[in-house]
Amino acid sequence: APLIGHDIHTTTTISFEEAVFGVEKEIDVARVEPCSRCKGVGAEPGSNPAQCSHCNGSGQIRRVQRSIFGQFAQVGPCNQCNGEGKIITSPCSHCRGSTRERRTRKIQVDIPSGVEDGMQVRLTREGDAGINGGTPGNLYIALVVEPHEMFRRKDHDIVLEIPINFVQAALGD
């Protein structure tokens, strides 16, 4: 059965100016993807998985039990092929038949203007690859905004604090 891939959580740091105006940033993400050698099949290229002889390729086994109340039929996944209906006789030398591998990718992230420290950006389907044709998970990027040496944010305003003495305030300079 297809399973959705896992979500990935990561953190990136941006400057105060990038948080105010927005930025397109490139980040490195380590994620699980279909194997580059066997393209996610799990078998060595040039070979094909064989049909499971135990379940005749259905992936399911029917078990019948007798009790004092009669016969009960129970259907469950095949133990020989783990419910896949096929058996890999020649596993891929790169992923060892797992169909997946961990790779680091550079991903472009469009960070909108006005973000705050601790906010998250979600990229749909940029997480780990799904299993058995399932959709990939999501990528969540937590933002760390570096403080500015002169400006700070107060709600929706940007504040500039300039320390002055009483004489400067009285003269209006």
Side-chain angles (χ1 to χ4, degrees):
L3 295 173
I4 296 173
H6 291 109
D7 293 338
I8 299 174
H9 298 269
T10 188
T11 304
T12 191
T13 303
I14 59 173
S15 69
F16 183 84
E17 291 86 354
E18 290 171 333
V20 171
F21 298 110
V23 67
E24 188 172 299
K25 197 166 181 87
E26 187 176 73
I27 62 168
D28 290 331
V29 175
R31 65 183 182 187
V32 175
E33 296 183 349
C35 174
S36 58
R37 180 168 171 78
C38 68
K39 308 297 184 241
V41 174
E44 193 65 27
S47 69
N48 290 317
Q51 181 177 327
C52 177
S53 59
H54 193 68
C55 66
N56 293 323
S58 70
Q60 298 179 336
I61 293 291
R62 181 182 164 137
R63 294 175 183 89
V64 178
Q65 293 180 332
R66 293 177 187 239
S67 73
I68 57 172
F69 300 110
Q71 282 188 334
F72 290 97
Q74 185 179 18
V75 178
C78 175
N79 295 345
Q80 297 294 108
C81 65
N82 294 321
E84 301 217 4
K86 55 190 175 207
I87 295 177
I88 297 172
T89 54
S90 180
C92 172
S93 60
H94 185 71
C95 68
R96 296 185 190 116
S98 72
T99 72
R100 304 175 348 142
E101 66 178 325
R102 181 165 292 280
R103 297 190 65 172
T104 300
R105 294 276 186 203
K106 292 192 178 299
I107 296 178
Q108 290 292 113
V109 182
D110 197 12
I111 299 172
S113 60
V115 295
E116 296 180 38
D117 187 57
M119 283 186 159
Q120 280 190 346
V121 174
R122 181 185 75 184
L123 297 178
T124 306
R125 296 185 178 173
E126 289 291 347
D128 285 343
I131 300 171
N132 294 330
T135 58
N138 296 326
L139 171 61
Y140 293 91
I141 305 160
L143 302 175
V144 175
V145 179
E146 294 176 329
H148 193 274
E149 52 187 61
M150 295 177 61
F151 298 105
R152 68 180 172 82
R153 187 172 178 162
K154 185 175 182 182
D155 297 324
H156 296 295
D157 299 323
I158 296 176
V159 179
L160 171 62
E161 288 185 15
I162 302 175
I164 59 172
N165 61 38
F166 179 75
V167 175
Q168 289 171 319
L171 294 175
D173 288 338

